[in-house]
PDB file of all heavy atoms in Angstrom:
ATOM      1  N   ASP V 378       0.832  -1.206   0.000  1.00 59.00           N
ATOM      2  CA  ASP V 378       0.000   0.000   0.000  1.00 59.00           C
ATOM      3  C   ASP V 378       0.866   1.256   0.000  1.00 59.00           C
ATOM      4  O   ASP V 378       0.571   2.230  -0.709  1.00 59.00           O
ATOM      5  CB  ASP V 378      -0.921   0.005   1.224  1.00 59.00           C
ATOM      6  CG  ASP V 378      -1.988  -1.090   1.135  1.00 59.00           C
ATOM      7  OD1 ASP V 378      -2.250  -1.552  -0.006  1.00 59.00           O
ATOM      8  OD2 ASP V 378      -2.546  -1.460   2.187  1.00 59.00           O
ATOM      9  N   GLN V 379       1.946   1.225   0.814  1.00 63.00           N
ATOM     10  CA  GLN V 379       2.833   2.387   0.846  1.00 63.00           C
ATOM     11  C   GLN V 379       3.516   2.599  -0.503  1.00 63.00           C
ATOM     12  O   GLN V 379       3.669   3.739  -0.957  1.00 63.00           O
ATOM     13  CB  GLN V 379       3.875   2.214   1.952  1.00 63.00           C
ATOM     14  CG  GLN V 379       3.293   2.246   3.357  1.00 63.00           C
ATOM     15  CD  GLN V 379       4.346   1.982   4.412  1.00 63.00           C
ATOM     16  OE1 GLN V 379       5.513   1.744   4.100  1.00 63.00           O
ATOM     17  NE2 GLN V 379       3.931   1.994   5.691  1.00 63.00           N
ATOM     18  N   ASP V 380       3.905   1.495  -1.148  1.00 62.00           N
ATOM     19  CA  ASP V 380       4.540   1.622  -2.466  1.00 62.00           C
ATOM     20  C   ASP V 380       3.559   2.199  -3.485  1.00 62.00           C
ATOM     21  O   ASP V 380       3.927   3.037  -4.319  1.00 62.00           O
ATOM     22  CB  ASP V 380       5.036   0.254  -2.934  1.00 62.00           C
ATOM     23  CG  ASP V 380       6.203  -0.248  -2.083  1.00 62.00           C
ATOM     24  OD1 ASP V 380       6.828   0.593  -1.399  1.00 62.00           O
ATOM     25  OD2 ASP V 380       6.467  -1.463  -2.110  1.00 62.00           O
ATOM     26  N   ASP V 381       2.287   1.751  -3.430  1.00 64.00           N
ATOM     27  CA  ASP V 381       1.288   2.278  -4.366  1.00 64.00           C
ATOM     28  C   ASP V 381       1.062   3.760  -4.144  1.00 64.00           C
ATOM     29  O   ASP V 381       0.951   4.543  -5.106  1.00 64.00           O
ATOM     30  CB  ASP V 381      -0.029   1.513  -4.197  1.00 64.00           C
ATOM     31  CG  ASP V 381       0.079   0.070  -4.662  1.00 64.00           C
ATOM     32  OD1 ASP V 381       1.024  -0.223  -5.428  1.00 64.00           O
ATOM     33  OD2 ASP V 381      -0.765  -0.756  -4.248  1.00 64.00           O
ATOM     34  N   GLU V 382       0.981   4.192  -2.875  1.00 68.00           N
ATOM     35  CA  GLU V 382       0.793   5.608  -2.577  1.00 68.00           C
ATOM     36  C   GLU V 382       1.988   6.437  -3.062  1.00 68.00           C
ATOM     37  O   GLU V 382       1.817   7.535  -3.603  1.00 68.00           O
ATOM     38  CB  GLU V 382       0.591   5.801  -1.081  1.00 68.00           C
ATOM     39  CG  GLU V 382      -0.730   5.227  -0.556  1.00 68.00           C
ATOM     40  CD  GLU V 382      -0.848   5.383   0.947  1.00 68.00           C
ATOM     41  OE1 GLU V 382       0.115   5.927   1.541  1.00 68.00           O
ATOM     42  OE2 GLU V 382      -1.880   4.977   1.508  1.00 68.00           O
ATOM     43  N   GLU V 383       3.198   5.893  -2.873  1.00 69.00           N
ATOM     44  CA  GLU V 383       4.385   6.605  -3.323  1.00 69.00           C
ATOM     45  C   GLU V 383       4.400   6.719  -4.852  1.00 69.00           C
ATOM     46  O   GLU V 383       4.740   7.775  -5.406  1.00 69.00           O
ATOM     47  CB  GLU V 383       5.645   5.874  -2.837  1.00 69.00           C
ATOM     48  CG  GLU V 383       6.948   6.560  -3.235  1.00 69.00           C
ATOM     49  CD  GLU V 383       7.081   7.937  -2.622  1.00 69.00           C
ATOM     50  OE1 GLU V 383       6.467   8.186  -1.572  1.00 69.00           O
ATOM     51  OE2 GLU V 383       7.817   8.767  -3.209  1.00 69.00           O
ATOM     52  N   GLN V 384       4.036   5.647  -5.543  1.00 70.00           N
ATOM     53  CA  GLN V 384       3.982   5.703  -7.002  1.00 70.00           C
ATOM     54  C   GLN V 384       2.933   6.707  -7.475  1.00 70.00           C
ATOM     55  O   GLN V 384       3.142   7.431  -8.454  1.00 70.00           O
ATOM     56  CB  GLN V 384       3.677   4.312  -7.564  1.00 70.00           C
ATOM     57  CG  GLN V 384       4.810   3.315  -7.383  1.00 70.00           C
ATOM     58  CD  GLN V 384       4.434   1.930  -7.873  1.00 70.00           C
ATOM     59  OE1 GLN V 384       3.318   1.713  -8.357  1.00 70.00           O
ATOM     60  NE2 GLN V 384       5.358   0.987  -7.725  1.00 70.00           N
ATOM     61  N   GLU V 385       1.804   6.772  -6.773  1.00 72.00           N
ATOM     62  CA  GLU V 385       0.768   7.734  -7.139  1.00 72.00           C
ATOM     63  C   GLU V 385       1.248   9.165  -6.942  1.00 72.00           C
ATOM     64  O   GLU V 385       0.977  10.044  -7.775  1.00 72.00           O
ATOM     65  CB  GLU V 385      -0.485   7.475  -6.298  1.00 72.00           C
ATOM     66  CG  GLU V 385      -1.648   8.416  -6.603  1.00 72.00           C
ATOM     67  CD  GLU V 385      -2.149   8.290  -8.012  1.00 72.00           C
ATOM     68  OE1 GLU V 385      -2.005   7.198  -8.601  1.00 72.00           O
ATOM     69  OE2 GLU V 385      -2.688   9.288  -8.545  1.00 72.00           O
ATOM     70  N   ARG V 386       1.984   9.407  -5.839  1.00 72.00           N
ATOM     71  CA  ARG V 386       2.514  10.746  -5.607  1.00 72.00           C
ATOM     72  C   ARG V 386       3.530  11.128  -6.684  1.00 72.00           C
ATOM     73  O   ARG V 386       3.538  12.258  -7.170  1.00 72.00           O
ATOM     74  CB  ARG V 386       3.158  10.824  -4.213  1.00 72.00           C
ATOM     75  CG  ARG V 386       2.155  10.918  -3.075  1.00 72.00           C
ATOM     76  CD  ARG V 386       2.847  11.359  -1.797  1.00 72.00           C
ATOM     77  NE  ARG V 386       3.785  10.344  -1.330  1.00 72.00           N
ATOM     78  CZ  ARG V 386       3.491   9.366  -0.485  1.00 72.00           C
ATOM     79  NH1 ARG V 386       2.250   9.266  -0.017  1.00 72.00           N
ATOM     80  NH2 ARG V 386       4.407   8.490  -0.100  1.00 72.00           N
ATOM     81  N   VAL V 387       4.380  10.177  -7.041  1.00 68.00           N
ATOM     82  CA  VAL V 387       5.371  10.450  -8.091  1.00 68.00           C
ATOM     83  C   VAL V 387       4.683  10.741  -9.418  1.00 68.00           C
ATOM     84  O   VAL V 387       5.042  11.687 -10.142  1.00 68.00           O
ATOM     85  CB  VAL V 387       6.351   9.271  -8.224  1.00 68.00           C
ATOM     86  CG1 VAL V 387       7.246   9.456  -9.448  1.00 68.00           C
ATOM     87  CG2 VAL V 387       7.189   9.124  -6.968  1.00 68.00           C
ATOM     88  N   ALA V 388       3.670   9.944  -9.756  1.00 67.00           N
ATOM     89  CA  ALA V 388       2.943  10.155 -11.009  1.00 67.00           C
ATOM     90  C   ALA V 388       2.238  11.507 -11.010  1.00 67.00           C
ATOM     91  O   ALA V 388       2.202  12.206 -12.038  1.00 67.00           O
ATOM     92  CB  ALA V 388       1.936   9.022 -11.227  1.00 67.00           C
ATOM     93  N   ARG V 389       1.679  11.897  -9.844  1.00 69.00           N
ATOM     94  CA  ARG V 389       0.999  13.186  -9.750  1.00 69.00           C
ATOM     95  C   ARG V 389       1.987  14.330  -9.946  1.00 69.00           C
ATOM     96  O   ARG V 389       1.697  15.294 -10.649  1.00 69.00           O
ATOM     97  CB  ARG V 389       0.292  13.300  -8.401  1.00 69.00           C
ATOM     98  CG  ARG V 389      -0.681  14.474  -8.333  1.00 69.00           C
ATOM     99  CD  ARG V 389      -1.332  14.585  -6.966  1.00 69.00           C
ATOM    100  NE  ARG V 389      -2.056  13.354  -6.629  1.00 69.00           N
ATOM    101  CZ  ARG V 389      -1.738  12.545  -5.634  1.00 69.00           C
ATOM    102  NH1 ARG V 389      -0.686  12.818  -4.857  1.00 69.00           N
ATOM    103  NH2 ARG V 389      -2.446  11.459  -5.387  1.00 69.00           N
ATOM    104  N   ARG V 390       3.173  14.219  -9.339  1.00 69.00           N
ATOM    105  CA  ARG V 390       4.187  15.268  -9.513  1.00 69.00           C
ATOM    106  C   ARG V 390       4.634  15.361 -10.963  1.00 69.00           C
ATOM    107  O   ARG V 390       4.867  16.453 -11.484  1.00 69.00           O
ATOM    108  CB  ARG V 390       5.386  15.002  -8.593  1.00 69.00           C
ATOM    109  CG  ARG V 390       5.113  15.295  -7.121  1.00 69.00           C
ATOM    110  CD  ARG V 390       6.422  15.388  -6.352  1.00 69.00           C
ATOM    111  NE  ARG V 390       7.120  14.105  -6.339  1.00 69.00           N
ATOM    112  CZ  ARG V 390       6.992  13.198  -5.388  1.00 69.00           C
ATOM    113  NH1 ARG V 390       6.179  13.430  -4.364  1.00 69.00           N
ATOM    114  NH2 ARG V 390       7.660  12.066  -5.439  1.00 69.00           N
ATOM    115  N   LEU V 391       4.766  14.215 -11.619  1.00 63.00           N
ATOM    116  CA  LEU V 391       5.161  14.222 -13.024  1.00 63.00           C
ATOM    117  C   LEU V 391       4.099  14.885 -13.891  1.00 63.00           C
ATOM    118  O   LEU V 391       4.420  15.621 -14.831  1.00 63.00           O
ATOM    119  CB  LEU V 391       5.426  12.784 -13.499  1.00 63.00           C
ATOM    120  CG  LEU V 391       6.673  12.100 -12.927  1.00 63.00           C
ATOM    121  CD1 LEU V 391       6.742  10.652 -13.399  1.00 63.00           C
ATOM    122  CD2 LEU V 391       7.935  12.855 -13.356  1.00 63.00           C
ATOM    123  N   ARG V 392       2.813  14.619 -13.590  1.00 63.00           N
ATOM    124  CA  ARG V 392       1.739  15.255 -14.362  1.00 63.00           C
ATOM    125  C   ARG V 392       1.742  16.763 -14.165  1.00 63.00           C
ATOM    126  O   ARG V 392       1.571  17.527 -15.111  1.00 63.00           O
ATOM    127  CB  ARG V 392       0.380  14.662 -13.955  1.00 63.00           C
ATOM    128  CG  ARG V 392       0.139  13.249 -14.472  1.00 63.00           C
ATOM    129  CD  ARG V 392      -1.341  12.895 -14.385  1.00 63.00           C
ATOM    130  NE  ARG V 392      -1.817  12.901 -13.005  1.00 63.00           N
ATOM    131  CZ  ARG V 392      -1.803  11.847 -12.208  1.00 63.00           C
ATOM    132  NH1 ARG V 392      -1.329  10.685 -12.655  1.00 63.00           N
ATOM    133  NH2 ARG V 392      -2.268  11.927 -10.968  1.00 63.00           N
ATOM    134  N   TRP V 393       1.932  17.197 -12.904  1.00 59.00           N
ATOM    135  CA  TRP V 393       1.984  18.640 -12.638  1.00 59.00           C
ATOM    136  C   TRP V 393       3.160  19.279 -13.381  1.00 59.00           C
ATOM    137  O   TRP V 393       3.033  20.358 -13.955  1.00 59.00           O
ATOM    138  CB  TRP V 393       2.115  18.890 -11.140  1.00 59.00           C
ATOM    139  CG  TRP V 393       0.867  18.594 -10.375  1.00 59.00           C
ATOM    140  CD1 TRP V 393      -0.394  18.471 -10.888  1.00 59.00           C
ATOM    141  CD2 TRP V 393       0.751  18.390  -8.960  1.00 59.00           C
ATOM    142  NE1 TRP V 393      -1.293  18.194  -9.886  1.00 59.00           N
ATOM    143  CE2 TRP V 393      -0.623  18.140  -8.681  1.00 59.00           C
ATOM    144  CE3 TRP V 393       1.656  18.388  -7.905  1.00 59.00           C
ATOM    145  CZ2 TRP V 393      -1.083  17.902  -7.402  1.00 59.00           C
ATOM    146  CZ3 TRP V 393       1.195  18.153  -6.624  1.00 59.00           C
ATOM    147  CH2 TRP V 393      -0.170  17.924  -6.376  1.00 59.00           C
ATOM    148  N   ALA V 394       4.323  18.629 -13.347  1.00 56.00           N
ATOM    149  CA  ALA V 394       5.491  19.181 -14.037  1.00 56.00           C
ATOM    150  C   ALA V 394       5.253  19.253 -15.542  1.00 56.00           C
ATOM    151  O   ALA V 394       5.639  20.224 -16.203  1.00 56.00           O
ATOM    152  CB  ALA V 394       6.725  18.321 -13.728  1.00 56.00           C
ATOM    153  N   ARG V 395       4.608  18.212 -16.089  1.00 55.00           N
ATOM    154  CA  ARG V 395       4.325  18.209 -17.527  1.00 55.00           C
ATOM    155  C   ARG V 395       3.340  19.320 -17.888  1.00 55.00           C
ATOM    156  O   ARG V 395       3.516  20.020 -18.889  1.00 55.00           O
ATOM    157  CB  ARG V 395       3.744  16.850 -17.939  1.00 55.00           C
ATOM    158  CG  ARG V 395       3.473  16.725 -19.431  1.00 55.00           C
ATOM    159  CD  ARG V 395       2.740  15.439 -19.719  1.00 55.00           C
ATOM    160  NE  ARG V 395       1.462  15.410 -19.016  1.00 55.00           N
ATOM    161  CZ  ARG V 395       0.656  14.354 -18.963  1.00 55.00           C
ATOM    162  NH1 ARG V 395       1.017  13.229 -19.553  1.00 55.00           N
ATOM    163  NH2 ARG V 395      -0.486  14.426 -18.309  1.00 55.00           N
ATOM    164  N   ASP V 396       2.304  19.509 -17.062  1.00 53.00           N
ATOM    165  CA  ASP V 396       1.334  20.574 -17.332  1.00 53.00           C
ATOM    166  C   ASP V 396       1.993  21.948 -17.270  1.00 53.00           C
ATOM    167  O   ASP V 396       1.704  22.823 -18.090  1.00 53.00           O
ATOM    168  CB  ASP V 396       0.175  20.500 -16.333  1.00 53.00           C
ATOM    169  CG  ASP V 396      -0.696  19.267 -16.545  1.00 53.00           C
ATOM    170  OD1 ASP V 396      -0.615  18.682 -17.645  1.00 53.00           O
ATOM    171  OD2 ASP V 396      -1.426  18.888 -15.609  1.00 53.00           O
ATOM    172  N   ARG V 397       2.872  22.135 -16.268  1.00 55.00           N
ATOM    173  CA  ARG V 397       3.567  23.418 -16.179  1.00 55.00           C
ATOM    174  C   ARG V 397       4.446  23.646 -17.397  1.00 55.00           C
ATOM    175  O   ARG V 397       4.531  24.752 -17.921  1.00 55.00           O
ATOM    176  CB  ARG V 397       4.415  23.471 -14.904  1.00 55.00           C
ATOM    177  CG  ARG V 397       3.619  23.674 -13.628  1.00 55.00           C
ATOM    178  CD  ARG V 397       4.526  24.118 -12.495  1.00 55.00           C
ATOM    179  NE  ARG V 397       5.577  23.144 -12.220  1.00 55.00           N
ATOM    180  CZ  ARG V 397       5.462  22.142 -11.370  1.00 55.00           C
ATOM    181  NH1 ARG V 397       4.334  21.970 -10.693  1.00 55.00           N
ATOM    182  NH2 ARG V 397       6.461  21.305 -11.174  1.00 55.00           N
ATOM    183  N   GLU V 398       5.104  22.590 -17.867  1.00 51.00           N
ATOM    184  CA  GLU V 398       5.970  22.714 -19.032  1.00 51.00           C
ATOM    185  C   GLU V 398       5.168  23.026 -20.291  1.00 51.00           C
ATOM    186  O   GLU V 398       5.573  23.851 -21.114  1.00 51.00           O
ATOM    187  CB  GLU V 398       6.772  21.412 -19.224  1.00 51.00           C
ATOM    188  CG  GLU V 398       7.684  21.417 -20.433  1.00 51.00           C
ATOM    189  CD  GLU V 398       8.790  22.466 -20.323  1.00 51.00           C
ATOM    190  OE1 GLU V 398       9.130  22.849 -19.190  1.00 51.00           O
ATOM    191  OE2 GLU V 398       9.277  22.910 -21.374  1.00 51.00           O
ATOM    192  N   LEU V 399       3.994  22.390 -20.420  1.00 50.00           N
ATOM    193  CA  LEU V 399       3.170  22.637 -21.604  1.00 50.00           C
ATOM    194  C   LEU V 399       2.589  24.038 -21.610  1.00 50.00           C
ATOM    195  O   LEU V 399       2.371  24.619 -22.682  1.00 50.00           O
ATOM    196  CB  LEU V 399       2.042  21.593 -21.664  1.00 50.00           C
ATOM    197  CG  LEU V 399       2.459  20.162 -21.992  1.00 50.00           C
ATOM    198  CD1 LEU V 399       1.252  19.237 -21.913  1.00 50.00           C
ATOM    199  CD2 LEU V 399       3.102  20.081 -23.369  1.00 50.00           C
ATOM    200  N   ARG V 400       2.310  24.582 -20.434  1.00 52.00           N
ATOM    201  CA  ARG V 400       1.721  25.917 -20.344  1.00 52.00           C
ATOM    202  C   ARG V 400       2.764  27.027 -20.256  1.00 52.00           C
ATOM    203  O   ARG V 400       2.410  28.200 -20.321  1.00 52.00           O
ATOM    204  CB  ARG V 400       0.785  25.992 -19.136  1.00 52.00           C
ATOM    205  CG  ARG V 400      -0.427  25.092 -19.273  1.00 52.00           C
ATOM    206  CD  ARG V 400      -1.350  25.211 -18.093  1.00 52.00           C
ATOM    207  NE  ARG V 400      -2.490  24.315 -18.224  1.00 52.00           N
ATOM    208  CZ  ARG V 400      -3.586  24.594 -18.900  1.00 52.00           C
ATOM    209  NH1 ARG V 400      -3.688  25.763 -19.503  1.00 52.00           N
ATOM    210  NH2 ARG V 400      -4.570  23.730 -18.981  1.00 52.00           N
ATOM    211  N   ARG V 401       4.021  26.664 -20.122  1.00 56.00           N
ATOM    212  CA  ARG V 401       5.061  27.678 -20.054  1.00 56.00           C
ATOM    213  C   ARG V 401       5.218  28.327 -21.420  1.00 56.00           C
ATOM    214  O   ARG V 401       5.271  27.641 -22.447  1.00 56.00           O
ATOM    215  CB  ARG V 401       6.384  27.046 -19.622  1.00 56.00           C
ATOM    216  CG  ARG V 401       7.535  28.040 -19.502  1.00 56.00           C
ATOM    217  CD  ARG V 401       8.800  27.316 -19.101  1.00 56.00           C
ATOM    218  NE  ARG V 401       8.629  26.625 -17.829  1.00 56.00           N
ATOM    219  CZ  ARG V 401       9.515  25.766 -17.329  1.00 56.00           C
ATOM    220  NH1 ARG V 401      10.617  25.498 -18.015  1.00 56.00           N
ATOM    221  NH2 ARG V 401       9.296  25.176 -16.170  1.00 56.00           N
ATOM    222  N   PRO V 402       5.266  29.675 -21.477  1.00 53.00           N
ATOM    223  CA  PRO V 402       5.393  30.344 -22.772  1.00 53.00           C
ATOM    224  C   PRO V 402       6.635  29.890 -23.528  1.00 53.00           C
ATOM    225  O   PRO V 402       7.701  29.680 -22.941  1.00 53.00           O
ATOM    226  CB  PRO V 402       5.473  31.829 -22.401  1.00 53.00           C
ATOM    227  CG  PRO V 402       4.840  31.916 -21.050  1.00 53.00           C
ATOM    228  CD  PRO V 402       5.156  30.623 -20.366  1.00 53.00           C
ATOM    229  N   LEU V 403       6.496  29.755 -24.837  1.00 55.00           N
ATOM    230  CA  LEU V 403       7.631  29.417 -25.671  1.00 55.00           C
ATOM    231  C   LEU V 403       8.588  30.596 -25.755  1.00 55.00           C
ATOM    232  O   LEU V 403       8.240  31.736 -25.473  1.00 55.00           O
ATOM    233  CB  LEU V 403       7.146  29.040 -27.076  1.00 55.00           C
ATOM    234  CG  LEU V 403       6.320  27.758 -27.193  1.00 55.00           C
ATOM    235  CD1 LEU V 403       5.714  27.674 -28.578  1.00 55.00           C
ATOM    236  CD2 LEU V 403       7.161  26.538 -26.918  1.00 55.00           C
ATOM    237  N   SER V 404       9.797  30.325 -26.175  1.00 56.00           N
ATOM    238  CA  SER V 404      10.770  31.402 -26.329  1.00 56.00           C
ATOM    239  C   SER V 404      10.378  32.291 -27.502  1.00 56.00           C
ATOM    240  O   SER V 404       9.594  31.896 -28.364  1.00 56.00           O
ATOM    241  CB  SER V 404      12.163  30.797 -26.571  1.00 56.00           C
ATOM    242  OG  SER V 404      12.188  30.139 -27.826  1.00 56.00           O
ATOM    243  N   PRO V 405      10.936  33.524 -27.551  1.00 58.00           N
ATOM    244  CA  PRO V 405      10.585  34.423 -28.652  1.00 58.00           C
ATOM    245  C   PRO V 405      10.946  33.880 -30.029  1.00 58.00           C
ATOM    246  O   PRO V 405      10.462  34.398 -31.041  1.00 58.00           O
ATOM    247  CB  PRO V 405      11.390  35.692 -28.320  1.00 58.00           C
ATOM    248  CG  PRO V 405      11.613  35.638 -26.854  1.00 58.00           C
ATOM    249  CD  PRO V 405      11.752  34.175 -26.526  1.00 58.00           C
ATOM    250  N   GLN V 406      11.800  32.860 -30.100  1.00 61.00           N
ATOM    251  CA  GLN V 406      12.176  32.303 -31.390  1.00 61.00           C
ATOM    252  C   GLN V 406      11.146  31.306 -31.910  1.00 61.00           C
ATOM    253  O   GLN V 406      11.269  30.844 -33.050  1.00 61.00           O
ATOM    254  CB  GLN V 406      13.543  31.600 -31.291  1.00 61.00           C
ATOM    255  CG  GLN V 406      14.724  32.548 -31.185  1.00 61.00           C
ATOM    256  CD  GLN V 406      14.855  33.178 -29.810  1.00 61.00           C
ATOM    257  OE1 GLN V 406      14.388  32.608 -28.824  1.00 61.00           O
ATOM    258  NE2 GLN V 406      15.478  34.335 -29.743  1.00 61.00           N
ATOM    259  N   HIS V 407      10.141  30.972 -31.117  1.00 71.00           N
ATOM    260  CA  HIS V 407       9.149  29.983 -31.515  1.00 71.00           C
ATOM    261  C   HIS V 407       7.760  30.607 -31.493  1.00 71.00           C
ATOM    262  O   HIS V 407       7.442  31.428 -30.637  1.00 71.00           O
ATOM    263  CB  HIS V 407       9.187  28.770 -30.569  1.00 71.00           C
ATOM    264  CG  HIS V 407      10.484  28.021 -30.598  1.00 71.00           C
ATOM    265  ND1 HIS V 407      11.568  28.401 -29.837  1.00 71.00           N
ATOM    266  CD2 HIS V 407      10.874  26.920 -31.308  1.00 71.00           C
ATOM    267  CE1 HIS V 407      12.570  27.558 -30.059  1.00 71.00           C
ATOM    268  NE2 HIS V 407      12.181  26.657 -30.947  1.00 71.00           N
ATOM    269  N   LEU V 408       6.951  30.205 -32.452  1.00 79.00           N
ATOM    270  CA  LEU V 408       5.568  30.651 -32.523  1.00 79.00           C
ATOM    271  C   LEU V 408       4.657  29.531 -32.048  1.00 79.00           C
ATOM    272  O   LEU V 408       4.890  28.358 -32.349  1.00 79.00           O
ATOM    273  CB  LEU V 408       5.187  31.047 -33.955  1.00 79.00           C
ATOM    274  CG  LEU V 408       5.931  32.247 -34.547  1.00 79.00           C
ATOM    275  CD1 LEU V 408       5.497  32.466 -35.992  1.00 79.00           C
ATOM    276  CD2 LEU V 408       5.678  33.501 -33.727  1.00 79.00           C
ATOM    277  N   SER V 409       3.619  29.905 -31.324  1.00 82.00           N
ATOM    278  CA  SER V 409       2.644  28.925 -30.859  1.00 82.00           C
ATOM    279  C   SER V 409       1.481  28.851 -31.841  1.00 82.00           C
ATOM    280  O   SER V 409       1.398  29.628 -32.809  1.00 82.00           O
ATOM    281  CB  SER V 409       2.130  29.315 -29.470  1.00 82.00           C
ATOM    282  OG  SER V 409       1.383  30.520 -29.546  1.00 82.00           O
TER     283      SER V 409
END
């Protein structure tokens, strides 16, 4: 159970990091 909870926390952090990366503005050299 502890391992499952830890894996869920890691997966949640990865999703948050991915969402932040996707929403981060691109550099001026790139167009969205």
